[in-house]
């Protein structure tokens, strides 16, 4: 861990610290939440104060408590969708190389899915399926794997050409022997793909919530943003400052720090 930390640039270390803060907030947020996120016993549209740090919405919910709840639900949503899409894409990438005949069919299937942007397919399914968290995550996994597949397959293809993998297959090594040889060279790209998909999952969830297609019972940042935009006096007073901005900043920062961790290769 010390060696990996020392390889990070100063900017990446800051972003990694922010990610750690997000995960800690997701794990321990309910402990520090002053109100249950579903509690609407407070007066409506209170400005920020000592009791309600970010004020209340038009229903009397404490906005700070809902933002803390968003850490848990949004990050759980993001990591689950990312884990599913990366796992499916990586397994299919390996299968397409290990079983060349099946690989041609998988390649064609991935190409078909890549023709249409995955967000359009996810929106289409979400519009006709029940707006539950499970359905949304499954649609993201099912339509997001081709991007992972193409990148993982490109990396694993180079690894399959290495001497150690060729020798393992030559002496009759089984599938698990080949996987062990590939893991050392393949896990960095898998980790990068995981962060990319986690970032995209948050963007997709926020987009679905914006169109009213997300789970209405799930207290995510996307749902909070949608609720703020539904407020009829949104453009006529300063309520948006504490109603909309906190959740939006959380989403933007989360996506930005993951992007920096993936693409920033410089060392300062």
């Amino acid at each position: 861990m010390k060696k990996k930390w020392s390889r990070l640039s100063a900017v990446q270390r800051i972003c990694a610290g922010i990610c750690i803060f997000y995960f800690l907030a997701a794990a321990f947020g309910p402990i520090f939440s002053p109100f249950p996120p579903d509690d609407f016993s407070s007066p409506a549209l209170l400005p920020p104060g000592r009791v309600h740090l970010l004020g209340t919405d038009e229903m009397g919910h404490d906005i700070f408590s809902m933002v803390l709840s968003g850490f848990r639900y949004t990050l759980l949503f993001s990591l689950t969708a990312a884990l599913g899409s990366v796992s499916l894409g990586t397994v299919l990438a390996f299968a397409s190389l290990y079983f060349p005949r099946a690989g041609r069919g998988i390649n064609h299937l991935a190409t078909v899915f890549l023709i249409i942007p995955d967000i359009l397919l996810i929106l289409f399914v979400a519009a006709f399926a029940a707006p539950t968290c499970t359905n949304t995550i499954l649609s993201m996994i099912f339509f997001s794997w081709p991007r992972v597949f193409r990148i993982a397959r490109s990396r694993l293809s180079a690894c399959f050409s290495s001497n150690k993998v060729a020798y393992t297959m030559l002496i009759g090594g089984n599938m698990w022997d080949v996987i062990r040889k590939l893991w050392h060279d393949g896990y960095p790209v898998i980790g990068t793909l995981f962060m990319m998909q986690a970032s995209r999952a948050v963007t997709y969830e926020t987009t679905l919530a914006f169109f009213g297609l997300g789970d209405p019972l799930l207290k995510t940042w996307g749902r909070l943003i949608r609720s703020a935009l539904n407020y009829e006096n949104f453009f006529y007073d300063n309520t948006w400052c504490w109603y909309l901005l906190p959740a939006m900043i959380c989403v933007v920062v989360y996506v930005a720090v993951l992007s920096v961790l993936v693409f920033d290769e410089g060392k300062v």
Side-chain angles (χ1 to χ4, degrees), residues 78 82 194-204 254-256 258-259:
S78 166
F194 179 80
M195 288 189 287
M196 290 176 59
Q197 291 300 105
S199 174
R200 295 175 69 88
V202 170
T203 305
Y204 291 162
Y254 183 70
V255 173
L258 289 180
S259 300

Side-chain angles (χ1 to χ4, degrees), residues 13-259:
R13 292 180 185 181
I14 294 173
C15 292
I18 295 174
C19 280
I20 293 173
F21 168 77
Y22 269 57
F23 293 132
L24 290 176
F28 302 106
I31 299 176
F32 300 100
S33 179
F35 298 90
D38 294 322
D39 178 52
F40 54 91
S41 60
S42 302
L45 298 175
L46 288 176
R50 288 169 50 184
V51 178
H52 302 281
L53 297 180
L54 294 176
T56 60
D57 64 7
E58 68 272 24
M59 296 295 293
H61 297 104
D62 181 69
I63 295 176
F64 179 72
S65 300
M66 290 194 293
V67 171
L68 285 179
S69 176
F71 277 97
R72 169 164 292 190
Y73 289 110
T74 302
L75 264 63
L76 179 63
F77 188 99
S78 166
L79 297 180
T80 303
L83 179 63
S85 61
V86 171
S87 299
L88 180 59
T90 303
V91 168
L92 291 177
F94 175 81
S96 68
L97 293 169
Y98 194 82
F99 306 103
R101 290 185 179 179
R104 288 191 290 270
I106 298 174
N107 254 323
H108 292 318
L109 181 62
T111 302
V112 170
F113 277 103
L114 286 171
I115 292 174
I116 305 174
D118 48 0
I119 184 60
L120 295 181
L121 296 172
I122 293 170
L123 284 170
F124 179 81
V125 171
F128 292 96
T132 63
C133 178
T134 301
N135 287 344
T136 305
I137 290 176
L138 289 176
S139 65
M140 288 186 182
I141 293 173
F142 187 74
F143 295 116
S144 296
W145 68 265
R147 191 183 305 272
V148 176
F149 169 81
R150 282 297 175 88
I151 299 174
R153 190 180 189 279
S154 176
R155 176 59 180 168
L156 293 178
S157 178
C159 296
F160 260 84
S161 303
S162 63
N163 292 332
K164 59 182 179 181
V165 174
Y167 179 73
T168 300
M169 298 182 71
L170 181 64
I171 62 175
N174 58 30
M175 182 187 302
W176 300 113
D177 294 326
V178 175
I179 291 175
R180 283 196 294 268
K181 296 296 183 181
L182 290 173
W183 174 247
H184 180 73
D185 296 325
Y187 83 86
V189 71
I190 294 174
T192 300
L193 288 170
F194 179 80
M195 288 189 287
M196 290 176 59
Q197 291 300 105
S199 174
R200 295 175 69 88
V202 170
T203 305
Y204 291 162
E205 190 279 326
T206 305
T207 303
L208 291 176
F210 177 81
F211 287 107
L213 299 175
D215 190 337
L217 302 178
L218 203 63
K219 301 297 183 181
T220 63
W221 293 327
R223 174 55 53 184
L224 184 55
I225 292 172
R226 177 69 266 176
S227 298
L229 295 175
N230 285 339
Y231 173 53
E232 60 182 4
N233 291 326
F234 179 75
F235 294 104
Y236 301 104
D237 55 30
N238 294 325
T239 305
W240 64 273
C241 294
W242 63 80
Y243 197 171
L244 174 67
L245 285 183
M248 184 171 287
I249 290 173
C250 288
V251 171
V252 171
V253 170
Y254 183 70
V255 173
V257 297
L258 289 180
S259 300

Side-chain angles (χ1 to χ4, degrees), residues 5-16 260 264 266-268:
W5 183 262
S6 64
R7 294 172 185 168
L8 298 178
S9 67
V11 175
Q12 286 179 320
R13 292 180 185 181
I14 294 173
C15 292
V260 171
D264 181 22
K267 178 91 182 268
V268 179

